[in-house]
Structure formats: C-alpha cells, structure tokens
Amino acid sequence: MAKVTTFEVGYCTHVGCMALRGAGFRVCKFPARAYLLEVGDKRWLWDTGYSYHFSEQTRNGVFRLYSAVTPVYFDPQEALVEQLRSQGLDAKDIDGLILSHFHGDHIAGLRDFDDLAYICSGEGWQKISHLRGVAALKCAFVPGLIPSDFESRVSFIESYDTFPLPAELAPFTQGYLLPESKGEIILVPLPGHAAGHIGAFIQTDEGWTLLASDAAWSPANYKELRGPSRLANFLMDDPKLYYQTLRNLNQLYKNGVSIKLCHEGDL
Ligand SMILES: [Zn+2]
C-alpha cells in the first residue's frame, strides 16, 4: 500500500478568524506542508512548502504585499530539498512533483529541484500561467517561482485515465489515475479554493486518506461546516464551489475517511 510522509516547510501567520469564522483575532501559525508519496519503488512529491525563492520573489514590487499579508517564517535548513537530502533522497530519486494548485506557498520550492517531471491540473494552468503583476497577485501566483522549462516537463491530470472510486469515498465517484501508482493514488479536482485546485485519494495500510491541500484551512471547516471569514471569499477562485467541496469533505469525514490538509495548525 502507498506510504505518505509529511514534511513541514516553514509557516506563515495570520489572524485565526480569517481561516475559521468565529476563531477571533488571535494570531495563529499555519504550517506549509509537503508530502512524499511512495508506491513500491516509485516516489512523488506533493507540493513544496516555502523556500528561499519565496522571500526573493516577494521582496519587491507588487508581490511584497503577499509576504506582508502572510508573514513567512522559514529557515533555509527546512527547505524540502534539504529535508529530503537528510533522508538520503535527491531529485533523481523522485518520479514527479504534483502541484495541488499554484499558490506561492505550494510552488515556492520548484526551482530547488532540477529535471523533475511536474503534474498538475491543465485547466488550472491555462487559467493562471499568463497572469502577471496585480492580476497574478490576486491569485497568489508568483510567476518568478515557476522554472523557465516548466511547460516542457509538465503533464496534466486531464490526460490520465479516469478511475472509479469505491463507494466508501462517496460523494466522490471517480478521479484520474496517477500513472504507475497501481491504483493507490487517484487525483481528484477539489474546486473553489484556487484555479486548478486538486486533491489525491491515497490507499494506505490504514485505509483511504484524502490529501485535501487547501480545500480547508482548519479541520473545523469541514467537520463543523464552518467556513473561513467572508473576507477570504475575495481570495477564492469560486466561493460557491469552495463550499460545495467543503460539504463533500464533510461527507467523507462522516464516512470515517481521513483527511490531511496542507496548513492545519493552531485551529
Ligand atoms: Zn492555497
């Protein structure tokens, strides 16, 4: 069965009620997580967390606002590439890097890896890739974080075979089979939070787990169907779809499926 290893790669802070309505104005810590997924001798990364490149790219111009709104705490030793190296792994040991979406705190480490194959939503990339300046900032997309040869190394999930999901994963009925994952990693759109936002159902020894990325910021979002501040709607790709995805997560939670988020922390 597939193995999931969690890494925390820096964190940012902002007030709790932004992520969870009614949580008050306490400043909370939101870790940026990345995951290593393994099936047999195949390995994939899920997002990258923060990196030195994030502070470089948000130091000047309009993107300064990004690091001002979500102050980032990151020690270069925490870079995903360094944490993998300490486990004896480098880029050549990785078969692909899956991007859950294109927000800066998920793609910041891309340029730390050479020659990786990338996997993401083609629909999302179409929507985001041409954005620059304020239009990009509004989507929390920092174009300078994308390696120049990204498009020659990316494959889109929409080109993968569709795969039926077991009844216990209702209301999700099908997804895209990650090639060479032996049916143990199925990619699914989780729309609303950001353009091209995806998750992955992983079949582990403990049962199915959903990597739900930023479909929620706190478990209370889906457990209690208590969303973030209405202000957060301005940052979302589609608030209506976000709440539909949250209801789908709520049903999975009630069915006993485990859900892992990228930023759950103090809340
Ligand atoms: Zn995000």
Side-chain angles (χ1 to χ4, degrees), residues 66 100-106 139-140 193-194 197 213-215 217 263:
Y66 194 158
S100 68
H101 61 301
F102 305 97
H103 283 170
D105 50 335
H106 295 256
C139 294
H193 169 72
H197 185 264
S213 313
D214 289 7
W217 281 322
H263 304 301

Side-chain angles (χ1 to χ4, degrees), residues 47-67:
D47 292 338
T48 69
Y50 287 109
S51 84
Y52 159 80
H53 304 289
F54 185 86
S55 37
E56 276 291 285
Q57 295 289 332
T58 58
R59 188 159 291 159
N60 300 305
V62 292
F63 295 106
R64 269 182 69 176
L65 197 61
Y66 194 158
S67 44

Side-chain angles (χ1 to χ4, degrees), residues 160-237:
Y160 298 163
D161 292 339
T162 54
F163 192 85
L165 294 170
E168 67 187 285
L169 301 182
F172 295 88
T173 55
Q174 65 169 30
Y176 297 102
L177 173 64
L178 179 66
E180 303 192 86
S181 70
K182 300 179 183 168
E184 293 172 12
I185 303 179
I186 317 295
L187 305 165
V188 285
L190 296 177
H193 169 72
H197 185 264
I198 60 171
F201 282 107
I202 319 274
Q203 198 172 19
T204 71
D205 285 339
E206 289 79 43
W208 287 97
T209 289
L210 175 66
L211 290 190
S213 313
D214 289 7
W217 281 322
S218 156
N221 291 144
Y222 63 79
K223 287 183 180 175
E224 302 166 21
L225 284 178
R226 183 150 60 107
S229 155
R230 281 180 218 288
L231 276 175
N233 287 1
F234 291 108
L235 305 172
M236 288 179 193
D237 181 51

Side-chain angles (χ1 to χ4, degrees), residues 130-147:
H130 62 281
L131 300 178
R132 296 292 180 270
V134 174
L137 176 67
K138 201 173 167 288
C139 294
F141 174 58
V142 183
L145 295 173
I146 299 284

Side-chain angles (χ1 to χ4, degrees), residues 20-38:
L20 179 67
R21 208 174 296 158
F25 289 93
R26 182 168 60 97
V27 173
C28 296
K29 199 169 146 179
F30 294 88
R33 292 196 183 82
Y35 296 92
L36 172 67
L37 313 180
E38 296 174 86

